[in-house]
Amino acid sequence: MEIGEVKAIIEGLLFASGDEGINIKQISKIIEIQESTAIHIIEELKYDYEHSNRGMMIMQSHDIFHLTTKPEHSNYFKKLLDIPKQTRMSQAALETLAIIAYRQPITKTEMEEIRGVNSDRAVQTLLARSLIEELGRKDAVGKPILFGTSKDFLTYFGLTSLEELPALPDTANTEEMTQEADLFFERFGDEFELSGNQEVE
């Protein structure tokens, strides 16, 4: 495998790992390269981001690497979040919200294991709408972020506590999300019929 391709794969892994990030050992194992090579390429990527007019940067926290936006652009991101939403949430976002509501606290990786697909955009949408929030970090490799529903979630759906969520059947399979999603949509689906026809994740 050429070094350029390895570099591109590592950049993709940094993006795909989202808020949880990724460490050198994980990169080395996934791509099957030496850890020293992974470190060298990470340093090259950091240099590329720091010395080019790009909106992203690589941040290191202990042994975990994250691909994140530059802090000097934060005002623009705040403006983006302040733009009124004229769309309704996608099926992916609704499914993710149902999983979080019933399985919290839960990491993004655990959501993806249940859904079988990447949940980055869905989680970002729910965070932007203040329906979920970070609850801390799980005591596991990489210290992944734990997510749960917010007070705004309860207010939005007219709930006083999570105990008022529709009860799951006794036969609910903990490895599947279809039952909680169906129950959630049946009870609250109309709440998401916001103005506009376009769906967003």
Side-chain angles (χ1 to χ4, degrees):
M1 190 183 300
E2 294 184 358
I3 193 69
E5 184 178 359
V6 174
K7 191 173 182 179
I9 293 171
I10 291 178
E11 185 175 27
L13 289 173
L14 286 166
F15 176 81
S17 64
D19 292 333
E20 296 179 19
I22 191 168
N23 61 38
I24 293 297
K25 287 185 178 180
Q26 291 171 317
I27 292 173
S28 175
K29 183 177 180 180
I30 292 170
I31 310 180
E32 299 181 352
I33 59 175
Q34 295 293 324
E35 290 186 16
S36 58
T37 302
I39 293 172
H40 176 72
I41 294 176
I42 285 283
E43 291 302 319
E44 281 193 359
L45 283 169
K46 288 173 68 175
Y47 181 88
D48 291 344
Y49 280 110
E50 290 170 2
H51 294 82
S52 60
N53 191 22
R54 301 171 71 173
M56 306 294 288
M57 61 179 286
I58 295 176
M59 182 179 70
Q60 182 177 357
S61 177
H62 300 293
D63 63 337
I64 303 297
F65 293 89
H66 305 264
L67 187 62
T68 184
T69 54
K70 291 184 175 179
E72 58 264 35
H73 299 156
S74 61
N75 286 337
Y76 298 100
F77 307 138
K78 291 177 182 177
K79 289 180 181 179
L80 173 63
L81 297 179
D82 289 338
I83 295 175
K85 303 295 188 299
Q86 297 298 321
T87 56
R88 59 178 182 168
M89 282 195 288
S90 69
Q91 182 83 3
L94 293 175
E95 289 177 356
T96 303
L97 182 58
I99 291 170
I100 295 171
Y102 282 99
R103 309 294 180 93
Q104 60 186 304
I106 185 172
T107 68
K108 187 168 67 64
T109 298
E110 290 167 341
M111 299 175 209
E112 292 169 349
E113 288 175 352
I114 295 171
R115 295 189 62 231
V117 294
N118 185 284
S119 296
D120 282 344
R121 290 185 61 188
V123 168
Q124 289 303 316
T125 295
L126 297 173
L127 285 170
R129 291 173 182 259
S130 298
L131 293 173
I132 64 171
E133 61 186 0
E134 296 180 7
L135 301 180
R137 290 185 177 271
K138 187 172 184 177
D139 187 14
V141 176
K143 299 290 184 181
I145 296 172
L146 289 166
F147 295 95
T149 52
S150 64
K151 290 182 179 179
D152 286 346
F153 169 85
L154 296 176
T155 301
Y156 191 89
F157 293 108
L159 303 173
T160 57
S161 71
L162 294 173
E163 282 70 27
E164 295 180 8
L165 286 171
L168 287 174
D170 293 336
T171 57
N173 186 332
T174 58
E175 296 300 321
E176 297 178 355
M177 48 69 64
T178 53
Q179 288 172 310
E180 55 255 47
D182 289 344
L183 285 168
F184 193 82
F185 297 155
E186 181 180 347
R187 170 78 181 273
F188 302 113
D190 292 342
E191 301 287 346
F192 289 99
E193 295 299 324
L194 306 180
S195 59
N197 296 319
Q198 182 183 2
E199 291 190 354
V200 296
E201 293 190 0

